[in-house]
Amino acid sequence: MFPLAPLRGALGALNRRSSLLLPSALRAVITSAIPYRDLAEAVIPCHVVATDVMSGEAVILSAGDPVEALLASTAVPAIFPPVAIDGRLLMDGAVGNITPVSRIAALGADRILVIPTGFSCTATAPPAGALSMVLHSVSLVTMRQLHTDIVRVNSGPARVVVVPPLCPLNISAYDFSHAGALIERSHRATLEWLAAGGIEQREVPMTLLPHEHIMPRPGS
C-alpha cells in the first residue's frame, strides 16, 4: 500500500505556510538593480501594479519602497508570500489586472508601448506535460485579454503601440536554455522595427487572437 502518512504530513506543512519559496534571492536581485529608495524618485514616473489579497482589487503603487513594491507585484500566489504595504496585504498584480493597459491610460499616458511577455506565436504542437499545459493556458488568457484591452484603449485618446514578438518561434516559452540567443534575436528585431518607424504606428499593429501574429509591412 502507498504510505499516506508522509504525504499528509507534507501537505499539512505546506498548508501552514503562505508560500513555497522565500523571496530572499529575488529581493537581492531587485535591491542591486534599483538606484533609488522611493518610487517617486524615479527619473521616468514608475507605477507598479499589485493585487489586494483580501478584495482582489488592483492596486497601483507610485511611491514608497521600490523593492517592497516589486516584491508585492511579483508575489505569485503560493510561490512567494504576499507583502504588507500601508496596511494592505498585496500579491502578484496579474491576479487583479493581468494586462494593465487601461490603468496606464487612466494615469494620463497618451502613447503606451507594450512588450508582450506571453507566447504570441501560433503553437506548432500541443504542450507536453501538465505544467506546460497550465502555463500555455495562462499565456493564452493573457494574450486574449491584452488584445481586448488594446482595442478598448485605442478607442479613446491614448494610442497603444505593440513591439512585435519573435515569430515564428519554435522554442518553448518555458525553455530558458535558449535565453541568450532569444535576447539577441529580439534585440536585432526590435532595432529593425524601430528603424522602420514601427513606434509611430497609429493602428493596432498586431492581432493576438489566439497567438496569431500579423505585422503589416511599412507602407502596406
Side-chain angles (χ1 to χ4, degrees):
M1 294 180 62
F2 184 80
L4 295 180
L7 178 59
R8 292 195 187 101
L11 291 176
L14 180 59
N15 192 47
R16 290 190 294 271
R17 297 171 55 183
S18 63
S19 65
L20 291 171
L21 303 174
L22 294 177
S24 53
L26 180 58
R27 179 186 294 276
V29 171
I30 295 174
T31 301
S32 67
I34 301 294
Y36 45 83
R37 296 187 177 182
D38 193 305
L39 280 172
E41 298 173 2
V43 176
I44 298 174
C46 182
H47 307 279
V48 178
V49 181
T51 302
D52 188 304
V53 170
M54 302 302 293
S55 68
E57 174 190 4
V59 178
I60 304 295
L61 302 171
S62 304
D65 189 333
V67 176
E68 293 302 305
L70 290 172
L71 285 175
S73 182
T74 55
V76 179
I79 304 300
F80 290 123
V83 177
I85 297 179
D86 295 334
R88 306 178 80 170
L89 202 57
L90 304 179
M91 61 181 174
D92 191 349
V95 176
N97 195 333
I98 198 167
T99 58
V101 179
S102 58
R103 290 278 181 165
I104 299 171
L107 288 168
D110 56 7
R111 185 168 63 176
I112 302 168
L113 188 64
V114 174
I115 303 175
T117 56
F119 191 70
S120 303
C121 296
T122 301
T124 56
L131 179 59
S132 293
M133 180 59 77
V134 169
L135 295 175
H136 178 71
S137 300
V138 170
S139 185
L140 282 173
V141 170
T142 303
M143 291 300 102
R144 188 171 293 274
Q145 186 61 50
L146 177 59
H147 176 270
T148 300
D149 287 350
I150 288 173
V151 172
R152 181 185 301 115
V153 171
N154 264 345
S155 65
R159 281 289 170 264
V160 181
V161 180
V162 184
V163 178
L166 294 179
C167 289
L169 186 62
N170 296 321
I171 299 171
S172 168
Y174 322 113
D175 181 357
F176 296 99
S177 63
H178 300 276
L182 291 175
I183 290 171
E184 177 60 29
R185 180 181 162 193
S186 62
H187 181 248
R188 292 196 308 269
T190 302
L191 289 178
E192 293 173 0
W193 175 75
L194 289 170
I199 202 168
E200 300 301 328
Q201 293 276 353
R202 295 303 180 191
E203 302 297 330
V204 180
M206 61 184 298
T207 299
L208 299 169
L209 293 175
H211 288 198
E212 180 185 359
H213 173 68
I214 300 175
M215 187 68 185
R217 295 181 180 278
S220 62

